[in-house]
Amino acid sequence: MNPTALSLIDAGELARRLPMPLAIRAVEQALRAGLDPEADIPRTVLDVDAGQLLLMPSTTASYTGVKIAGVAPRNPARGQPRIIASYLLMDAATLRPTALFDGSALTLLRTPAVSAVAVDHLAVPDAERLVVFGAGPQAWGHVEAVRAVRPISSVGVVARRPEPAAKLVERCRRAGLNAETVPSEAVATADIVVCCTTSRTPLFPAAAVASHAVVVAIGSHEPTAREVDTEFVARATVVVEARAAALSEAGDILIPLRSGDIDAGVIAGNIAELVRGAVNVMPLRPKLFKSVGMSWQDLTVAAAAMERPS
């Protein structure tokens, strides 16, 4: 290959190079090899007329990369995705660009892959009932990722709009899963609950969640928005991507922290500590994995895709 050529990796090429199970493996291996999420470069969030512009850089010994993501809340009404992103991957030694990724596709791969790593270390081995809040692209990505690490047999979809919910149910059925739309009360019988919404208020009461269940909350990176309530955060074994990120962006944790209902010690560990066996996961308490999205995740998955055969 021409050393000066820039590879263009669109959604289809990314999926071909790095199917979900390989993305999950790449995240797990990076964390086991010593990646420290706490050392990641904080993202910059800029308020612009259309919404927010996120600048997310990260670097390793081999690669440096940056994602530019636009979060435009009014886009869905225009028939456009709420989040649109591009990702530039560079050689770490020279900073020469090596690949330009569809950043939205990369986000839709890396976020569920990170969640699946957490689920694999938190969920009971025979977890088979999944309930998903939301019916957008991340919802399907999480169905795909969670079933890669647990024997999921049924999926319940909770969504405000019937049409997207019906489409997700049909996609799950085509993938061989029993699926149906369900009310939020279905969390009571779920082994795993995934929250992929833009909700600013809790989606279900803490008491509804079974003591063995895992809740994954990925919908918000804003300090004033949350998908789970204070009682659940206080009740659960809480794992985050990184304490620094959670304590600056995760409203699910920050809202009860500011009110004095919990303290920072509620966080049992970060995902690296979880993978390395350094988190005390109590079997009789539910588990919460709270994700806000971090730069190291994009770089880890982009690098893994780049090193796969083209």
Side-chain angles (χ1 to χ4, degrees), residues 230 233-234 252-266:
T230 296
V233 175
D252 305 73
I253 294 168
L254 287 171
I255 291 171
L257 187 64
R258 287 193 296 263
S259 67
D261 292 310
I262 63 168
D263 58 43
V266 75

Side-chain angles (χ1 to χ4, degrees), residues 135-210:
Q138 281 289 355
W140 166 251
H142 277 77
V143 171
E144 185 184 15
V146 170
R147 73 181 305 204
V149 297
R150 285 298 182 273
I152 299 301
S153 62
S154 68
V155 178
V157 177
V158 185
R160 292 177 299 175
R161 295 184 295 149
E163 185 177 346
K167 288 182 177 178
L168 179 57
V169 165
E170 179 57 29
R171 189 169 189 179
C172 291
R173 289 174 177 172
R174 291 198 305 269
L177 294 165
N178 294 321
E180 61 182 340
T181 57
V182 295
S184 61
E185 290 80 5
V187 298
T189 59
D191 300 312
I192 300 169
V193 179
V194 176
C195 305
C196 307
T197 76
T198 58
S199 178
R200 306 191 71 80
T201 56
L203 298 168
F204 49 82
V209 182

